[in-house]
Amino acid sequence: MKVLVCFGTRPEAIKMAPLYHQLRSNSFFEVKLCVTAQHRKMLDQVLGFFEIVPDYDLDLMKANQTLNGLSATILSEMDNVLMTENPNIVLVHGDTTTSSMVALAAFHRGIRVGHVEAGLRTYDKKAPFPEEINRQLTGRIADFHFAPTSLAKNNLLNEGVSEKNILVTGNTVIDALLWTKSKLESNFINNQIEDLKFLQQKQFILVTGHRRESFGEGFVSFCKALLKIVEETNVTIVFPVHLNPNVQEPVYKALGNNKNIHLLEPVEYPVMVWLMQHCSLIISDSGGIQEEAPTFKKHILVTREVSERPEGVETGFSTLVGTNKDLIVENALYYLKNGFSPLNENPYGEGDASEKIVIYLEKNL
């Protein structure tokens, strides 16, 4: 049974890596991997760490490319891959332009689609943009839906998806996280982690940000909040800055000269896991971090107005603050002073999602 796994960004690669290896360990499947390289440098970091070599690398990243241009190129290039391989099923992940366009290309060729991390919704097509519509489009095309939570499953049921085509799995990012944690606890050595170990003697906040809906004034307000936090506390901020110019320019302009704020190039995945383990608080708009941080009992201030991951809010791991300066500062000061003692386990899974997906596919293909 031939399976074509497709992804294009760093977050997809992290979340699909354990599933890719789980599929390859099962002789029932012939596995091929195609990366669009919608992200290039950040994707390559993950491929190296998880010891993955793609069968197809479309290398589609271009500076400042438009979503329409990228979408058209993915559709065109994927058609050649699908025609060559003619897989029984294509597996895509989440909410990227790669996932939605690969799913559409497969549909056009009559090839079944499995959607990993299916069913997440905000029902606001502008938040996150364009991810919400990407996810809904992929959900309409998919034949098999691997939902990380019961809430995600219910979203799909409410949209008319047959229950027999839905499997609640937990999130594969927890599989990747636990694998990485285990590697960090062994003899794994990373030079950047060694350079950052001075942070273990400090109270520090881990910060990330990349969402399009925050470009412009949102990021300006967000940066003002970070400056206010370090002004009022002895805390250090560690901020791996996304490569998008719409993030880099306002962040380096506002924060580049503050001695208590460490701006880093995008870090490798094991470095990010290490930072999550050792930080006091996280401020981020990342979906993956919302899912990962609860494993380490960390609280996340989510710099978004709405999240398609409400389970974290409901279980107390996440607080939605948007890019509102006052809300970010108020909540950050509260958690820095009072700490965080969660009453719940990670609502996004236990680390066996990939195994569940592979068992399901073997039974149903």
Side-chain angles (χ1 to χ4, degrees), residues 38 65 67 97 129-131 210-216 244:
Q38 179 183 332
Q65 65 186 337
L67 291 173
T97 301
F129 174 86
E131 289 87 354
H210 72 281
R211 295 284 179 182
R212 282 181 176 86
E213 62 263 33
S214 297
F215 289 174
N244 191 306

Side-chain angles (χ1 to χ4, degrees), residues 245-263:
N246 292 291
V247 179
Q248 295 249 326
E249 290 172 12
V251 168
Y252 276 95
K253 180 179 179 180
L255 308 178
N257 295 318
N258 193 294
K259 63 183 177 60
N260 294 318
I261 300 177
H262 298 275
L263 302 180

Side-chain angles (χ1 to χ4, degrees), residues 22-200:
Q22 189 77 34
L23 285 164
R24 283 181 53 117
S25 70
N26 188 318
S27 60
F28 180 75
F29 299 103
E30 178 188 354
V31 186
K32 297 289 184 177
L33 173 63
C34 175
V35 298
T36 65
Q38 179 183 332
H39 293 171
R40 179 74 272 172
K41 181 178 178 181
M42 292 187 289
L43 173 67
D44 290 342
Q45 290 176 351
V46 177
L47 294 176
F49 178 68
F50 284 102
E51 300 174 4
I52 293 174
V53 179
D55 299 285
Y56 296 89
D57 187 335
L58 303 184
D59 196 22
L60 300 185
M61 181 174 177
K62 296 179 182 177
N64 297 315
Q65 65 186 337
T66 66
L67 291 173
N68 285 336
L70 175 62
S71 299
T73 306
I74 292 172
L75 271 175
S76 176
E77 294 293 324
M78 279 306 304
D79 200 44
N80 296 324
V81 177
L82 294 171
M83 185 167 54
T84 300
E85 291 295 338
N86 191 27
N88 300 98
I89 187 170
V90 173
L91 296 180
V92 298
H93 183 281
D95 58 12
T96 67
T97 301
T98 288
S99 64
S100 58
M101 290 301 101
V102 170
L104 184 59
F107 170 71
H108 286 163
R109 287 210 164 262
I111 299 168
R112 288 179 289 184
V113 174
H115 188 195
V116 181
E117 199 183 83
L120 279 65
R121 298 287 186 272
T122 65
Y123 294 109
D124 180 347
K125 66 182 182 180
K126 294 184 179 180
F129 174 86
E131 289 87 354
E132 174 67 12
I133 292 303
N134 286 342
R135 197 181 288 274
Q136 290 195 36
L137 176 60
T138 305
R140 300 313 301 165
I141 293 170
D143 301 277
F144 303 109
H145 306 257
F146 302 111
T149 66
S150 296
L151 181 56
K153 175 183 177 179
N154 288 336
N155 289 337
L156 293 165
L157 291 173
N158 291 336
E159 294 171 11
V161 176
S162 173
E163 186 167 13
K164 68 182 177 63
N165 294 328
I166 305 171
L167 178 69
V168 177
T169 63
N171 200 299
T172 57
V173 78
I174 308 304
D175 304 20
L177 181 70
L178 295 179
W179 186 87
T180 303
K181 178 175 178 286
S182 176
K183 195 165 183 177
L184 288 173
E185 291 168 352
S186 65
N187 295 321
F188 177 77
I189 295 175
N190 180 284
N191 290 333
Q192 193 167 18
I193 291 176
E194 295 300 314
D195 291 341
L196 292 170
K197 282 190 173 178
F198 73 94
L199 291 168
Q200 290 177 283

